[in-house]
Amino acid sequence: MSLPFTVLILLIFSSYFISLAHSKFARLAISPKTLIKNTPDGSTQKVDESGLQMFYFNQTLDHFTFRPESYMTFQQRYAINSTHWGGAKANAPILAFLGEETSLDSDLSGIGFLRDNGPRLKALLVYIEHRYYGKTMPFGSAEETLKNASTLGYLNAAQALADYAAILLHVKEKYSTKHSPIIVIGGSYGGMLAAWFRLKYPHIALGALASSAPLLYFEDTLPKFGYYYIVTKVFKETSERCYNTIRKSWKEIDRVAAKPNGLLILSKKFKTCAPLNGSFKIKDFLDSVYAESVQYNRGPSYWVTKVCNAINTNTYPPNSKHDLLDQIFAGVVALIGNRTCYDTNMFAQPTNNNIAWRWQSCSEIVMPVGYDKQDTMFPTTPFNMTSYISGCESYYGVPPRQHWITTYFGIQDVKLILQKFGSNIIFSNGLSDPYSVGGILEDISDTIVAITTKNGSHCQDIGLKSKDDPEWLVMQREKEIKILDSWISTYQKDLRDLNISN
Amino acid sequence: MSLPFTVLILLIFSSYFISLAHSKFARLAISPKTLIKNTPDGSTQKVDESGLQMFYFNQTLDHFTFRPESYMTFQQRYAINSTHWGGAKANAPILAFLGEETSLDSDLSGIGFLRDNGPRLKALLVYIEHRYYGKTMPFGSAEETLKNASTLGYLNAAQALADYAAILLHVKEKYSTKHSPIIVIGGSYGGMLAAWFRLKYPHIALGALASSAPLLYFEDTLPKFGYYYIVTKVFKETSERCYNTIRKSWKEIDRVAAKPNGLLILSKKFKTCAPLNGSFKIKDFLDSVYAESVQYNRGPSYWVTKVCNAINTNTYPPNSKHDLLDQIFAGVVALIGNRTCYDTNMFAQPTNNNIAWRWQSCSEIVMPVGYDKQDTMFPTTPFNMTSYISGCESYYGVPPRQHWITTYFGIQDVKLILQKFGSNIIFSNGLSDPYSVGGILEDISDTIVAITTKNGSHCQDIGLKSKDDPEWLVMQREKEIKILDSWISTYQKDLRDLNISN
């Protein structure tokens, strides 16, 4: 964020940050320190009373080359709930959640869309863990799997999509249903995967719900405003005063840091668990506090309001014992809670998931998130592709292929291309989600549609249903389900018209 | 074909045969015995007076993994003719020929569709050589490149399509044209590539002309009739007597072979260059003679007529010095010409192209071509997947992934899937081409259409124009061009409507 970064630290910071900002459950993520071992293929385990079962699929390591090494297999975890399924004879649908950069457990606990709507659609529910995340470690242990570019090299979106294709065909075979339509669902990076899956495997997925998928956040399709534009906008709309306090705080941090013992003063001010070795540490930490507040700003917590209330309450001079940085710190406490000390690295832990995601963002998912414009509450520091690339290259020994995503998935001129190609995709975005700047926000055709909500945050629509959900969220989900339902009915009619049966 | 095969020989025979039957210029192919060396990137060479220039592109070895080895590059050959191009400002189109399992030189000499129609469409013409064929040898020499599964492992359709994507984006950049629509064209296996390219890379290709592409000739989409059904049908329609002679000949070969010195008699009868070590040798050879005659049965030669005339003229007893096998031999001479001796392996030479294609048909392009039905003029010998797989596995050390093509490209239920997904593909087939049994012969939607001609042979429409072309062929090509032209006009109108400029 600020000045004294080495390239590598910037890289690690930003990729970690993207990782966390990306993950819908980042703040709840557990860091598994122990090595993860795969259990044998086909083993099943009752997970809960709802009928959810866990499986492991014997997955091909490399779908796209046929070298002897490519034939290695690994155990990929997935879960099925068949309780409400209408069966093969009825060509009842399959809702498939395509995992993103987190463990299946997180998705199972946090994704509500499938279980909330499965019974109504009489759907078979499938959840698949993304390769290299959770318990799906192609080289056995996480340590071995995440070691270097030679092992990580098999971790990318195209391979992940081919994994999903193989598992979904396997599931259809297992349930002897040749023509049950599959709807794929995903959020954030997983939302990109869902949309891409429909585009690349239309013979496997009938349609896709891509929630909060920043498909246009790549070098060739750079959005006009960046991630931090929305972060700022939401803070400003919540409280202009709060926004102004934050905006002023960066210079104040620099001013204090420049004093003799300045870093020590800052350490004490922010109760850091370890002494600060640079003011950037506290700035990056605060950046994450604000970004996370906005990205996951939803009921019952509404983090931005909480953070701003705390900042605004601890009023600034004159006539107060609190200074500006105390206000800022109060915002931190409002988000994270009272702690004896605060770990400035807490948003950038080297968890297995973060290590895997860093590789992805250093190889193909190069999203140029920077502090681009003067109209954010952050000091302007545009994303620097050159230093990003050289940072990744020096870390992994191989450079990112930063044009590969747009070469393979190609979302440039999206309206021009997709208005006459493809069908059955919903792009849903909350416009208060910072990643919505890279989302598809307008209808492309009759069947490739955008659903936006003014107040929605990141992936809110596919989260757990709650009695306290605002009306607009209930309506949004209802609209989504109705569209999915119409795809399914049309397809079932097509099957009859074409005289196709299982 | 017949009995005394070992599995391995069957494998080599059938894959070689498919290779030859596949290649539009197989009978003209030269076997390059010397090692092929790549020339440096970007080197250009004037090929002829027409303005065709040769280039080499620095291509990525493995697009789908990011291991350090994946970053290796090789020199991929392609050719451009810009003489008639209307330019970037006019968004004038690009016609791109996607190479199949042969050298670029063969395509440049045999493919007429681009040069014959380029001026009319004001198109930039691009021809790309397929990786592992011709001079495009990823590991330098052909010997090294074609050595074993470790080097051949990078040879497959998905990688080839990604190569084409990279080169076409490069060409657009080179000619500073962001929005010139690209039409991809290919024949046979290359026709499959063209159709698949439009489906996987709609952001790069506006449309595809897939000539004689047997997309449905895979295990999961097995056609009702096989390749040899058409071979037989064309012979029968040309001459019932000829057909009957051939049908009877197999038993006669077996009868003679069973005599003392039987193989020697056959060797003399068919003037084989080497003594026969089994009657299957001569049967395989004859199989190829008939298959090639039908597949490339077009003007000015009309091979089937020539072969049948010869067979019918050398009449069979009584009162003739010619016996049945003399008749058959006369057919061979009619196709191949007068030679001092005949090499029964001539259709199965281990040329570099054939070696590369054998790998492809032993890894993913597993087309179950057999003598399936009683209604062919060949002895029934259905394709045996089990022995095919084990043959490939023992030869290469890795088994074919025989379901991969339908997993990745998925052409099952083609009407159901593509009637509401995708656009702008022409599937053209001559119904007298044996591979048409695996082609798409009916319109799928308004913009995914089938063009068939009763008398057309393999890839005839994209071959060289000639004054002697029959009326139906002239009309077919005209129809194809009109459709391409309408795609281009619609796209150029869309550009204006969306206010997109270069």
Side-chain angles (χ1 to χ4, degrees):
Chain A
M1 176 174 172
S2 46
L3 297 170
F5 287 159
T6 68
V7 168
L8 194 60
I9 293 172
L10 172 66
L11 162 73
I12 291 173
F13 152 71
S14 65
S15 60
Y16 275 162
F17 171 70
I18 292 170
S19 157
L20 288 158
H22 242 277
S23 165
K24 282 167 297 304
F25 311 101
R27 299 201 314 105
L28 304 171
I30 305 147
S31 163
K33 289 253 161 60
T34 53
L35 295 187
I36 288 162
K37 281 208 181 85
N38 288 332
T39 52
D41 180 52
S43 79
T44 75
Q45 174 204 346
K46 206 86 167 176
V47 152
D48 58 21
E49 292 306 302
S50 69
L52 200 69
Q53 284 189 296
M54 298 291 256
F55 299 93
Y56 284 87
F57 179 74
N58 204 28
Q59 189 62 269
T60 300
L61 177 63
D62 184 357
H63 300 276
F64 296 97
T65 73
F66 298 70
R67 301 166 299 127
E69 306 88 296
S70 323
Y71 285 77
M72 277 178 55
T73 56
F74 63 92
Q75 300 302 305
Q76 183 163 17
R77 189 160 62 137
Y78 68 104
I80 289 188
N81 186 337
S82 62
T83 317
H84 304 287
W85 191 45
K89 219 175 161 186
N91 293 315
I94 297 169
L95 297 184
F97 186 80
L98 307 186
E100 71 291 9
E101 73 284 19
T102 189
S103 81
L104 182 59
D105 308 302
S106 299
D107 285 338
L108 288 174
S109 66
I111 297 299
F113 194 87
L114 284 77
R115 75 171 90 140
D116 292 336
N117 299 295
R120 176 169 162 188
L121 296 173
K122 295 187 178 157
L124 185 77
L125 309 181
V126 183
Y127 302 79
I128 315 176
E129 191 165 67
H130 193 292
R131 58 164 61 192
Y132 288 74
Y133 293 93
K135 293 196 171 173
T136 300
M137 291 291 159
F139 292 90
S141 71
E143 201 178 17
E144 192 60 30
T145 299
L146 306 172
K147 201 163 64 177
N148 55 34
S150 291
T151 55
L152 285 163
Y154 299 91
L155 166 56
N156 61 56
Q159 298 278 359
L161 293 179
D163 291 343
Y164 296 150
I167 289 185
L168 290 173
L169 290 179
H170 171 73
V171 167
K172 283 180 93 169
E173 216 178 305
K174 189 160 151 174
Y175 286 87
S176 306
T177 183
K178 239 178 162 170
H179 293 103
S180 279
I182 297 177
I183 309 289
V184 290
I185 296 156
S188 200
Y189 161 58
M192 300 199 252
L193 293 177
W196 291 336
F197 193 85
R198 168 61 181 159
L199 290 171
K200 296 291 187 205
Y201 297 86
H203 49 291
I204 300 180
L206 171 67
L209 168 56
S211 175
S212 297
L215 290 135
L216 304 179
Y217 214 143
F218 290 96
E219 207 190 0
D220 301 327
T221 59
L222 215 55
K224 199 173 158 194
F225 298 106
Y227 181 96
Y228 288 99
Y229 173 79
I230 300 287
V231 174
T232 302
K233 189 166 165 277
V234 172
F235 266 90
K236 200 172 179 180
E237 282 171 3
T238 303
S239 161
E240 183 106 18
R241 195 164 105 195
C242 173
Y243 152 82
N244 273 316
T245 307
I246 294 168
R247 212 164 53 87
K248 279 184 274 181
S249 69
W250 313 109
K251 271 200 175 158
E252 178 63 10
I253 291 170
D254 287 340
R255 196 188 62 79
V256 174
K259 286 186 184 179
N261 287 324
L263 291 176
L264 200 64
I265 300 170
L266 284 176
S267 293
K268 280 187 180 167
K269 206 77 165 170
F270 287 92
K271 284 194 189 172
T272 64
C273 298
L276 292 171
N277 56 359
S279 66
F280 70 90
K281 277 274 183 192
I282 203 74
K283 289 185 191 170
D284 290 349
F285 174 65
L286 291 171
D287 170 311
S288 298
V289 165
Y290 305 137
E292 296 263 317
S293 305
V294 172
Q295 195 165 316
Y296 310 111
N297 189 33
R298 50 184 167 233
S301 302
Y302 295 106
W303 296 113
V304 180
T305 308
K306 283 199 174 171
V307 169
C308 276
N309 280 348
I311 287 177
N312 291 342
T313 306
N314 286 268
T315 49
Y316 184 48
N319 306 328
S320 161
K321 52 185 176 182
H322 299 298
D323 68 10
L324 191 149
L325 294 188
D326 289 324
Q327 290 183 267
I328 296 296
F329 179 62
V332 172
V333 176
L335 181 72
I336 298 168
N338 260 311
R339 298 199 179 179
T340 49
C341 73
Y342 293 84
D343 175 5
T344 53
N345 292 319
M346 67 170 284
F347 294 105
Q349 294 294 335
T351 60
N352 290 336
N353 289 345
N354 286 351
I355 292 169
W357 182 251
R358 181 181 54 194
W359 161 261
Q360 286 198 261
S361 48
C362 250
S363 52
E364 58 171 7
I365 313 286
V366 180
M367 303 177 85
V369 176
Y371 311 88
D372 296 315
K373 302 273 172 186
Q374 298 293 350
D375 55 5
T376 80
M377 62 187 186
F378 303 89
T380 303
T381 317
F383 181 85
N384 184 329
M385 186 60 88
T386 313
S387 66
Y388 190 88
I389 288 174
S390 67
C392 290
E393 189 162 5
S394 71
Y395 196 81
Y396 290 109
V398 292
R401 290 182 184 163
Q402 85 264 29
H403 300 297
W404 172 243
I405 289 291
T406 45
T407 298
Y408 188 55
F409 297 111
I411 210 78
Q412 316 92 308
D413 298 317
V414 60
K415 176 108 186 166
L416 176 68
I417 303 305
L418 293 188
Q419 68 180 357
K420 287 176 181 164
F421 184 96
S423 55
N424 296 0
I425 306 177
I426 300 173
F427 293 104
S428 73
N429 279 282
L431 299 179
S432 297
D433 165 21
Y435 275 118
S436 67
V437 295
I440 289 169
L441 307 178
E442 283 175 26
D443 287 356
I444 285 174
S445 69
D446 286 350
T447 58
I448 303 184
V449 297
I451 294 181
T452 59
T453 57
K454 187 175 168 299
N455 294 313
S457 60
H458 198 58
C459 299
Q460 197 171 356
D461 55 339
I462 59 171
L464 298 163
K465 198 160 80 175
S466 146
K467 281 173 196 164
D468 303 322
D469 286 335
E471 183 62 15
W472 59 260
L473 180 58
V474 175
M475 303 265 288
Q476 178 187 13
R477 287 178 180 149
E478 185 63 23
K479 197 170 168 186
E480 290 168 0
I481 285 293
K482 280 202 171 142
I483 294 170
L484 303 193
D485 205 12
S486 77
W487 296 343
I488 294 164
S489 315
T490 304
Y491 175 87
Q492 287 168 337
K493 184 177 175 304
D494 289 345
L495 283 176
R496 288 190 299 272
D497 289 351
L498 293 168
N499 263 319
I500 298 172
S501 57
N502 266 316
Chain B
M1 179 173 171
S2 45
L3 296 171
F5 286 160
T6 69
V7 169
L8 195 61
I9 293 172
L10 172 64
L11 163 73
I12 292 172
F13 150 71
S14 65
S15 60
Y16 275 161
F17 170 69
I18 291 170
S19 157
L20 288 158
H22 242 277
S23 165
K24 284 168 295 304
F25 310 103
R27 299 199 317 103
L28 304 171
I30 305 145
S31 164
K33 287 255 162 58
T34 53
L35 295 186
I36 288 161
K37 279 208 183 86
N38 289 332
T39 52
D41 181 51
S43 78
T44 74
Q45 175 204 347
K46 207 86 168 174
V47 155
D48 59 21
E49 293 305 302
S50 70
L52 200 69
Q53 285 189 296
M54 298 291 256
F55 299 93
Y56 284 88
F57 179 74
N58 204 28
Q59 190 61 271
T60 300
L61 178 63
D62 184 357
H63 300 277
F64 296 97
T65 72
F66 297 71
R67 301 165 300 123
E69 306 89 296
S70 323
Y71 285 77
M72 277 177 57
T73 56
F74 62 92
Q75 300 303 303
Q76 184 163 16
R77 190 161 61 136
Y78 68 104
I80 289 187
N81 186 338
S82 62
T83 317
H84 303 286
W85 192 45
K89 219 175 161 185
N91 293 315
I94 297 169
L95 299 184
F97 187 79
L98 307 186
E100 71 291 9
E101 74 284 19
T102 189
S103 82
L104 181 59
D105 308 303
S106 298
D107 286 337
L108 287 175
S109 66
I111 297 299
F113 194 87
L114 284 78
R115 76 171 89 139
D116 291 336
N117 298 295
R120 175 169 165 190
L121 296 173
K122 294 185 179 159
L124 186 77
L125 309 182
V126 184
Y127 303 79
I128 316 176
E129 189 165 68
H130 193 294
R131 58 165 59 194
Y132 288 74
Y133 292 93
K135 292 197 173 174
T136 299
M137 291 290 160
F139 294 90
S141 71
E143 201 176 19
E144 193 61 29
T145 299
L146 306 172
K147 200 163 62 177
N148 55 33
S150 292
T151 55
L152 287 163
Y154 299 92
L155 166 56
N156 60 56
Q159 299 278 359
L161 294 179
D163 292 343
Y164 296 150
I167 289 185
L168 290 173
L169 290 179
H170 170 74
V171 167
K172 283 179 94 168
E173 216 179 302
K174 190 159 150 175
Y175 286 87
S176 306
T177 183
K178 239 177 163 169
H179 293 102
S180 279
I182 298 176
I183 307 289
V184 290
I185 297 154
S188 199
Y189 162 58
M192 300 200 251
L193 292 177
W196 291 336
F197 192 84
R198 167 62 181 159
L199 290 171
K200 296 291 187 203
Y201 298 86
H203 50 290
I204 300 179
L206 172 67
L209 169 56
S211 175
S212 298
L215 290 135
L216 304 180
Y217 214 142
F218 291 94
E219 207 190 0
D220 301 328
T221 59
L222 215 54
K224 199 173 159 195
F225 297 107
Y227 181 97
Y228 287 99
Y229 172 79
I230 301 287
V231 173
T232 302
K233 190 166 164 278
V234 171
F235 266 89
K236 200 171 178 181
E237 283 171 4
T238 302
S239 161
E240 181 108 17
R241 193 164 106 196
C242 173
Y243 152 84
N244 273 318
T245 308
I246 295 168
R247 211 162 55 86
K248 282 183 272 182
S249 68
W250 312 110
K251 271 200 176 158
E252 178 64 9
I253 291 170
D254 287 338
R255 197 188 60 82
V256 175
K259 287 187 186 178
N261 287 324
L263 291 176
L264 200 66
I265 300 169
L266 284 175
S267 294
K268 280 188 179 166
K269 204 81 167 166
F270 287 93
K271 286 195 189 170
T272 66
C273 297
L276 292 172
N277 55 359
S279 67
F280 70 91
K281 278 274 184 193
I282 204 72
K283 290 185 190 171
D284 291 348
F285 174 66
L286 291 171
D287 170 312
S288 297
V289 165
Y290 305 137
E292 297 263 316
S293 304
V294 173
Q295 194 165 317
Y296 310 111
N297 188 34
R298 51 186 166 232
S301 302
Y302 297 104
W303 297 113
V304 180
T305 308
K306 285 200 171 169
V307 169
C308 276
N309 280 350
I311 288 177
N312 291 341
T313 307
N314 286 268
T315 49
Y316 186 47
N319 308 328
S320 161
K321 52 185 177 182
H322 298 296
D323 69 10
L324 191 149
L325 294 187
D326 289 322
Q327 290 184 268
I328 296 296
F329 179 63
V332 172
V333 176
L335 181 73
I336 299 169
N338 259 311
R339 298 198 179 181
T340 49
C341 72
Y342 294 84
D343 176 5
T344 53
N345 291 320
M346 68 169 284
F347 294 106
Q349 293 296 333
T351 61
N352 290 337
N353 289 345
N354 286 350
I355 292 169
W357 182 252
R358 181 180 55 193
W359 162 261
Q360 288 198 260
S361 48
C362 251
S363 52
E364 58 172 7
I365 313 285
V366 179
M367 301 177 86
V369 177
Y371 312 89
D372 296 315
K373 303 272 175 187
Q374 298 293 351
D375 54 6
T376 80
M377 62 188 186
F378 302 90
T380 302
T381 318
F383 182 83
N384 185 329
M385 186 60 87
T386 313
S387 66
Y388 190 88
I389 288 174
S390 67
C392 291
E393 189 163 4
S394 71
Y395 195 80
Y396 290 110
V398 292
R401 289 182 183 163
Q402 86 263 30
H403 301 297
W404 172 242
I405 290 290
T406 45
T407 298
Y408 188 55
F409 297 111
I411 210 79
Q412 316 91 310
D413 298 318
V414 60
K415 175 108 185 167
L416 175 69
I417 303 304
L418 292 188
Q419 68 179 357
K420 286 176 182 164
F421 184 97
S423 54
N424 296 1
I425 306 176
I426 300 172
F427 294 104
S428 73
N429 279 282
L431 300 179
S432 297
D433 166 22
Y435 275 118
S436 68
V437 295
I440 289 170
L441 306 178
E442 284 176 25
D443 287 356
I444 285 173
S445 69
D446 286 350
T447 59
I448 302 184
V449 298
I451 294 180
T452 59
T453 55
K454 188 176 167 300
N455 294 314
S457 61
H458 198 58
C459 299
Q460 197 171 357
D461 54 341
I462 60 172
L464 297 163
K465 199 160 79 174
S466 146
K467 280 173 197 163
D468 304 322
D469 286 333
E471 183 62 18
W472 58 260
L473 180 58
V474 175
M475 302 267 286
Q476 176 188 15
R477 287 177 179 149
E478 185 63 25
K479 196 170 170 187
E480 288 168 359
I481 283 294
K482 280 202 171 140
I483 293 171
L484 303 193
D485 205 12
S486 77
W487 297 343
I488 294 165
S489 315
T490 304
Y491 175 86
Q492 287 169 337
K493 184 177 177 302
D494 288 345
L495 283 176
R496 289 191 298 272
D497 289 351
L498 293 168
N499 262 317
I500 297 172
S501 57
N502 266 316

